[in-house]
Structures are given as structure tokens and as C-alpha cells.
Amino acid sequence: MEFSLDRDGSKPSDERVTADVAERDGAAVVTVRGKVLYDTLAPLADALAALTGRPALGVVLDLSGVPMCDSSGLNLFVRTRSELTATGGWLRLTGTRPLVDNVLHITNLDRILPRYATVEEATTA
């Protein structure tokens, strides 16, 4: 059996999730790096939680640095979308890689989580 933790208990650098937030064209752009999994998504969850309380906020998740995402990540995306739309905001995805695209399609979440080719397209759509 293989585990994602190194012997010292830390996660390898390619499995740590980072979430950097910047404002662009009136929207919050969250640039995510790393595998979005149950045991790695806390930094992203914290960043999104800090944004969801703001009324009518648009959020773009730049997932170009995310090679994979499990059901916990999908759940986080759906919860965040629900919280944002309840206050007049929105959530849009950009830069999704093939594995993430496939998971979104299989789960039919691509119907409620719109995807765009670039951050610029997502912020101006």
C-alpha cells in the first residue's frame, strides 16, 4: 500500500495545494496548484471560505496547476458555487486539465460549473 505522506509526515511538494488570490476585472481569481484531494484541499477551502461572504462576488478558479481532483474537491467547488450564487455571485473554472475535465464531465458538474479557456475569458463572460 502506498501513502501520500513522506516518512517525516510531510507531503511531497507536488501534492501540497496552494491557493493564491488576486483581483482582476472586478472578480477574485484563485490560482490553485497541486492535487486537490481530501487530505490536501484545506488551503483552497480556507481561501474560498474567505471569499464566499462577500456579496455579488465573481470567483474564477484557475485550475491550470491542478493535475487531479477527487470528490472532496468537487464537493468544495459545488458548495462554493452555491454560497456565491446565493449572494448574487458566480464561480467559473479555467485552465482545467484533461483528468479534471473528465471528472467534471462524468459527474455532469460541467453543466453547473462553466469552464473557460483563459482567466480573461472567465472574468469577462
Side-chain angles (χ1 to χ4, degrees), residues 42-86:
L44 175 58
D46 292 344
L48 292 174
L51 297 172
T52 55
R54 295 170 50 185
L57 178 66
V59 175
V60 175
L61 278 182
D62 179 356
L63 300 176
S64 59
V66 176
M68 64 185 307
C69 176
D70 71 5
S71 62
S72 300
L74 297 177
N75 186 320
L76 176 62
F77 299 163
V78 171
R79 280 193 337 259
T80 300
R81 178 195 174 273
S82 295
E83 292 171 9
L84 290 167
T85 57

Short mmCIF file of all heavy atoms in Angstrom, two decimals, residues 42-86:
data_model
loop_
_atom_site.label_atom_id
_atom_site.label_comp_id
_atom_site.label_asym_id
_atom_site.label_seq_id
_atom_site.Cartn_x
_atom_site.Cartn_y
_atom_site.Cartn_z
N ALA A 42 -7.25 21.74 2.20
CA ALA A 42 -7.50 22.75 3.24
C ALA A 42 -7.09 24.17 2.85
O ALA A 42 -7.87 25.11 3.06
CB ALA A 42 -6.84 22.34 4.55
N PRO A 43 -5.92 24.40 2.25
CA PRO A 43 -5.58 25.78 1.88
C PRO A 43 -6.56 26.38 0.87
O PRO A 43 -6.91 27.56 0.96
CB PRO A 43 -4.17 25.66 1.28
CG PRO A 43 -3.61 24.41 1.87
CD PRO A 43 -4.79 23.49 2.04
N LEU A 44 -7.02 25.58 -0.06
CA LEU A 44 -8.01 26.06 -1.03
C LEU A 44 -9.34 26.32 -0.35
O LEU A 44 -9.98 27.35 -0.60
CB LEU A 44 -8.17 25.04 -2.17
CG LEU A 44 -9.25 25.37 -3.20
CD1 LEU A 44 -9.01 26.72 -3.85
CD2 LEU A 44 -9.32 24.25 -4.24
N ALA A 45 -9.77 25.42 0.51
CA ALA A 45 -11.03 25.60 1.24
C ALA A 45 -11.00 26.88 2.07
O ALA A 45 -11.98 27.64 2.10
CB ALA A 45 -11.32 24.39 2.12
N ASP A 46 -9.88 27.16 2.71
CA ASP A 46 -9.74 28.37 3.51
C ASP A 46 -9.82 29.62 2.64
O ASP A 46 -10.48 30.60 2.99
CB ASP A 46 -8.43 28.36 4.29
CG ASP A 46 -8.38 27.30 5.37
OD1 ASP A 46 -9.45 26.77 5.74
OD2 ASP A 46 -7.27 26.99 5.84
N ALA A 47 -9.14 29.59 1.50
CA ALA A 47 -9.16 30.75 0.60
C ALA A 47 -10.56 31.01 0.07
O ALA A 47 -11.01 32.17 0.02
CB ALA A 47 -8.19 30.52 -0.56
N LEU A 48 -11.28 29.96 -0.29
CA LEU A 48 -12.64 30.13 -0.81
C LEU A 48 -13.61 30.57 0.28
O LEU A 48 -14.49 31.39 0.03
CB LEU A 48 -13.12 28.84 -1.48
CG LEU A 48 -12.37 28.48 -2.77
CD1 LEU A 48 -12.82 27.11 -3.27
CD2 LEU A 48 -12.58 29.54 -3.84
N ALA A 49 -13.44 30.06 1.48
CA ALA A 49 -14.30 30.45 2.60
C ALA A 49 -14.17 31.95 2.88
O ALA A 49 -15.16 32.61 3.22
CB ALA A 49 -13.97 29.65 3.85
N ALA A 50 -12.98 32.48 2.73
CA ALA A 50 -12.76 33.91 2.96
C ALA A 50 -13.46 34.77 1.90
O ALA A 50 -13.75 35.94 2.15
CB ALA A 50 -11.26 34.21 2.96
N LEU A 51 -13.75 34.18 0.75
CA LEU A 51 -14.38 34.94 -0.34
C LEU A 51 -15.90 34.83 -0.36
O LEU A 51 -16.57 35.73 -0.84
CB LEU A 51 -13.83 34.46 -1.69
CG LEU A 51 -12.35 34.67 -1.94
CD1 LEU A 51 -11.93 33.96 -3.22
CD2 LEU A 51 -12.03 36.15 -2.01
N THR A 52 -16.44 33.74 0.15
CA THR A 52 -17.87 33.48 -0.03
C THR A 52 -18.79 34.41 0.75
O THR A 52 -19.97 34.50 0.43
CB THR A 52 -18.23 32.02 0.31
OG1 THR A 52 -17.79 31.72 1.63
CG2 THR A 52 -17.60 31.05 -0.67
N GLY A 53 -18.29 35.10 1.73
CA GLY A 53 -19.13 36.01 2.49
C GLY A 53 -19.36 37.36 1.82
O GLY A 53 -20.21 38.13 2.26
N ARG A 54 -18.65 37.64 0.75
CA ARG A 54 -18.77 38.92 0.07
C ARG A 54 -19.93 38.89 -0.92
O ARG A 54 -20.05 37.97 -1.71
CB ARG A 54 -17.46 39.26 -0.64
CG ARG A 54 -16.33 39.46 0.34
CD ARG A 54 -14.97 39.55 -0.29
NE ARG A 54 -14.87 40.49 -1.40
CZ ARG A 54 -13.78 40.63 -2.14
NH1 ARG A 54 -12.71 39.90 -1.88
NH2 ARG A 54 -13.75 41.48 -3.13
N PRO A 55 -20.83 39.89 -0.89
CA PRO A 55 -21.99 39.88 -1.78
C PRO A 55 -21.61 40.11 -3.24
O PRO A 55 -20.70 40.89 -3.54
CB PRO A 55 -22.86 41.01 -1.25
CG PRO A 55 -21.92 41.90 -0.51
CD PRO A 55 -20.82 41.03 0.01
N ALA A 56 -22.31 39.41 -4.12
CA ALA A 56 -22.20 39.57 -5.58
C ALA A 56 -20.76 39.46 -6.09
O ALA A 56 -20.37 40.17 -7.01
CB ALA A 56 -22.83 40.89 -6.01
N LEU A 57 -20.01 38.58 -5.51
CA LEU A 57 -18.62 38.41 -5.93
C LEU A 57 -18.51 37.31 -6.97
O LEU A 57 -19.06 36.23 -6.81
CB LEU A 57 -17.73 38.05 -4.73
CG LEU A 57 -16.26 37.81 -5.04
CD1 LEU A 57 -15.59 39.11 -5.52
CD2 LEU A 57 -15.54 37.26 -3.83
N GLY A 58 -17.80 37.60 -8.04
CA GLY A 58 -17.46 36.58 -9.03
C GLY A 58 -16.11 35.99 -8.69
O GLY A 58 -15.19 36.71 -8.33
N VAL A 59 -16.01 34.67 -8.78
CA VAL A 59 -14.75 33.99 -8.47
C VAL A 59 -14.36 33.11 -9.66
O VAL A 59 -15.18 32.34 -10.16
CB VAL A 59 -14.87 33.12 -7.19
CG1 VAL A 59 -13.59 32.32 -6.96
CG2 VAL A 59 -15.17 33.99 -5.99
N VAL A 60 -13.12 33.25 -10.09
CA VAL A 60 -12.56 32.41 -11.13
C VAL A 60 -11.53 31.49 -10.47
O VAL A 60 -10.62 31.97 -9.80
CB VAL A 60 -11.86 33.25 -12.23
CG1 VAL A 60 -11.18 32.34 -13.25
CG2 VAL A 60 -12.86 34.17 -12.91
N LEU A 61 -11.72 30.19 -10.64
CA LEU A 61 -10.74 29.22 -10.16
C LEU A 61 -9.84 28.84 -11.33
O LEU A 61 -10.30 28.22 -12.29
CB LEU A 61 -11.43 27.95 -9.64
CG LEU A 61 -11.98 27.95 -8.25
CD1 LEU A 61 -12.57 26.58 -7.92
CD2 LEU A 61 -10.94 28.31 -7.23
N ASP A 62 -8.59 29.26 -11.27
CA ASP A 62 -7.62 28.89 -12.29
C ASP A 62 -7.02 27.56 -11.88
O ASP A 62 -6.21 27.49 -10.96
CB ASP A 62 -6.55 29.97 -12.42
CG ASP A 62 -5.49 29.63 -13.44
OD1 ASP A 62 -5.52 28.52 -14.03
OD2 ASP A 62 -4.60 30.47 -13.65
N LEU A 63 -7.44 26.50 -12.57
CA LEU A 63 -7.02 25.15 -12.21
C LEU A 63 -5.92 24.62 -13.13
O LEU A 63 -5.70 23.41 -13.19
CB LEU A 63 -8.24 24.21 -12.25
CG LEU A 63 -9.38 24.57 -11.30
CD1 LEU A 63 -10.56 23.63 -11.50
CD2 LEU A 63 -8.93 24.56 -9.86
N SER A 64 -5.23 25.50 -13.82
CA SER A 64 -4.19 25.05 -14.76
C SER A 64 -3.04 24.33 -14.05
O SER A 64 -2.33 23.55 -14.68
CB SER A 64 -3.65 26.23 -15.57
OG SER A 64 -3.12 27.24 -14.72
N GLY A 65 -2.88 24.54 -12.76
CA GLY A 65 -1.84 23.87 -12.00
C GLY A 65 -2.35 22.68 -11.20
O GLY A 65 -1.68 22.20 -10.29
N VAL A 66 -3.55 22.20 -11.54
CA VAL A 66 -4.17 21.08 -10.81
C VAL A 66 -4.23 19.85 -11.73
O VAL A 66 -5.06 19.79 -12.64
CB VAL A 66 -5.59 21.46 -10.33
CG1 VAL A 66 -6.27 20.27 -9.66
CG2 VAL A 66 -5.52 22.64 -9.39
N PRO A 67 -3.38 18.86 -11.48
CA PRO A 67 -3.39 17.68 -12.33
C PRO A 67 -4.54 16.71 -12.05
O PRO A 67 -4.94 15.95 -12.91
CB PRO A 67 -2.04 17.01 -12.04
CG PRO A 67 -1.70 17.44 -10.64
CD PRO A 67 -2.28 18.83 -10.51
N MET A 68 -5.07 16.75 -10.82
CA MET A 68 -6.17 15.84 -10.48
C MET A 68 -7.00 16.41 -9.33
O MET A 68 -6.52 17.25 -8.55
CB MET A 68 -5.67 14.44 -10.14
CG MET A 68 -4.80 14.38 -8.91
SD MET A 68 -4.09 12.74 -8.59
CE MET A 68 -5.49 11.69 -8.60
N CYS A 69 -8.24 15.93 -9.24
CA CYS A 69 -9.18 16.41 -8.24
C CYS A 69 -10.10 15.25 -7.87
O CYS A 69 -10.64 14.59 -8.76
CB CYS A 69 -9.97 17.57 -8.83
SG CYS A 69 -11.27 18.22 -7.79
N ASP A 70 -10.28 15.01 -6.57
CA ASP A 70 -11.17 13.93 -6.17
C ASP A 70 -12.55 14.49 -5.79
O ASP A 70 -12.83 15.68 -5.97
CB ASP A 70 -10.56 13.08 -5.04
CG ASP A 70 -10.49 13.78 -3.70
OD1 ASP A 70 -10.98 14.91 -3.55
OD2 ASP A 70 -9.92 13.18 -2.76
N SER A 71 -13.41 13.64 -5.27
CA SER A 71 -14.78 14.04 -4.95
C SER A 71 -14.84 15.13 -3.87
O SER A 71 -15.76 15.93 -3.86
CB SER A 71 -15.62 12.84 -4.52
OG SER A 71 -15.08 12.24 -3.35
N SER A 72 -13.86 15.17 -3.00
CA SER A 72 -13.82 16.22 -1.98
C SER A 72 -13.63 17.58 -2.63
O SER A 72 -14.26 18.57 -2.22
CB SER A 72 -12.68 15.97 -0.99
OG SER A 72 -12.86 14.74 -0.35
N GLY A 73 -12.78 17.65 -3.63
CA GLY A 73 -12.58 18.89 -4.36
C GLY A 73 -13.83 19.30 -5.12
O GLY A 73 -14.23 20.47 -5.12
N LEU A 74 -14.47 18.33 -5.76
CA LEU A 74 -15.72 18.62 -6.48
C LEU A 74 -16.78 19.15 -5.52
O LEU A 74 -17.50 20.10 -5.84
CB LEU A 74 -16.22 17.37 -7.20
CG LEU A 74 -15.32 16.79 -8.29
CD1 LEU A 74 -15.94 15.53 -8.86
CD2 LEU A 74 -15.05 17.81 -9.38
N ASN A 75 -16.88 18.51 -4.37
CA ASN A 75 -17.83 18.95 -3.35
C ASN A 75 -17.54 20.39 -2.94
O ASN A 75 -18.46 21.21 -2.81
CB ASN A 75 -17.76 18.01 -2.15
CG ASN A 75 -18.81 18.29 -1.12
OD1 ASN A 75 -19.12 19.44 -0.81
ND2 ASN A 75 -19.36 17.24 -0.55
N LEU A 76 -16.27 20.73 -2.75
CA LEU A 76 -15.88 22.09 -2.40
C LEU A 76 -16.30 23.07 -3.50
O LEU A 76 -16.82 24.14 -3.20
CB LEU A 76 -14.37 22.16 -2.16
CG LEU A 76 -13.81 23.55 -1.87
CD1 LEU A 76 -14.40 24.14 -0.59
CD2 LEU A 76 -12.29 23.48 -1.79
N PHE A 77 -16.09 22.71 -4.75
CA PHE A 77 -16.48 23.59 -5.86
C PHE A 77 -17.99 23.82 -5.87
O PHE A 77 -18.45 24.96 -6.03
CB PHE A 77 -16.07 23.00 -7.21
CG PHE A 77 -14.59 22.77 -7.38
CD1 PHE A 77 -14.13 21.94 -8.39
CD2 PHE A 77 -13.64 23.37 -6.57
CE1 PHE A 77 -12.78 21.72 -8.58
CE2 PHE A 77 -12.28 23.15 -6.74
CZ PHE A 77 -11.85 22.32 -7.75
N VAL A 78 -18.77 22.77 -5.67
CA VAL A 78 -20.23 22.89 -5.69
C VAL A 78 -20.72 23.72 -4.50
O VAL A 78 -21.59 24.59 -4.66
CB VAL A 78 -20.90 21.50 -5.72
CG1 VAL A 78 -22.40 21.60 -5.52
CG2 VAL A 78 -20.58 20.78 -7.04
N ARG A 79 -20.19 23.46 -3.32
CA ARG A 79 -20.57 24.26 -2.14
C ARG A 79 -20.24 25.73 -2.33
O ARG A 79 -21.04 26.62 -2.02
CB ARG A 79 -19.87 23.74 -0.88
CG ARG A 79 -20.49 22.53 -0.26
CD ARG A 79 -19.95 22.23 1.15
NE ARG A 79 -18.65 22.77 1.46
CZ ARG A 79 -17.51 22.08 1.45
NH1 ARG A 79 -17.53 20.80 1.11
NH2 ARG A 79 -16.37 22.64 1.77
N THR A 80 -19.05 25.99 -2.86
CA THR A 80 -18.63 27.37 -3.09
C THR A 80 -19.54 28.04 -4.10
O THR A 80 -19.97 29.18 -3.90
CB THR A 80 -17.17 27.41 -3.58
OG1 THR A 80 -16.33 26.81 -2.58
CG2 THR A 80 -16.71 28.83 -3.84
N ARG A 81 -19.86 27.35 -5.17
CA ARG A 81 -20.78 27.90 -6.18
C ARG A 81 -22.13 28.23 -5.54
O ARG A 81 -22.68 29.31 -5.77
CB ARG A 81 -20.98 26.91 -7.32
CG ARG A 81 -21.97 27.41 -8.35
CD ARG A 81 -22.43 26.27 -9.28
NE ARG A 81 -23.47 26.73 -10.16
CZ ARG A 81 -24.75 26.74 -9.89
NH1 ARG A 81 -25.19 26.33 -8.71
NH2 ARG A 81 -25.64 27.17 -10.78
N SER A 82 -22.65 27.33 -4.72
CA SER A 82 -23.95 27.56 -4.07
C SER A 82 -23.90 28.79 -3.16
O SER A 82 -24.82 29.61 -3.16
CB SER A 82 -24.36 26.34 -3.25
OG SER A 82 -24.58 25.25 -4.09
N GLU A 83 -22.84 28.91 -2.39
CA GLU A 83 -22.71 30.06 -1.49
C GLU A 83 -22.56 31.37 -2.26
O GLU A 83 -23.14 32.39 -1.87
CB GLU A 83 -21.53 29.84 -0.54
CG GLU A 83 -21.77 28.71 0.45
CD GLU A 83 -20.53 28.33 1.24
OE1 GLU A 83 -19.50 29.04 1.16
OE2 GLU A 83 -20.58 27.31 1.95
N LEU A 84 -21.81 31.35 -3.35
CA LEU A 84 -21.64 32.56 -4.15
C LEU A 84 -22.92 32.97 -4.86
O LEU A 84 -23.29 34.15 -4.87
CB LEU A 84 -20.51 32.36 -5.17
CG LEU A 84 -19.09 32.29 -4.60
CD1 LEU A 84 -18.11 31.79 -5.65
CD2 LEU A 84 -18.67 33.66 -4.05
N THR A 85 -23.62 32.00 -5.46
CA THR A 85 -24.84 32.35 -6.19
C THR A 85 -25.95 32.81 -5.25
O THR A 85 -26.80 33.60 -5.64
CB THR A 85 -25.34 31.18 -7.06
OG1 THR A 85 -25.56 30.03 -6.25
CG2 THR A 85 -24.35 30.85 -8.17
N ALA A 86 -25.93 32.35 -4.00
CA ALA A 86 -26.93 32.78 -3.02
C ALA A 86 -26.83 34.28 -2.72
O ALA A 86 -27.79 34.90 -2.29
CB ALA A 86 -26.81 31.98 -1.73
#
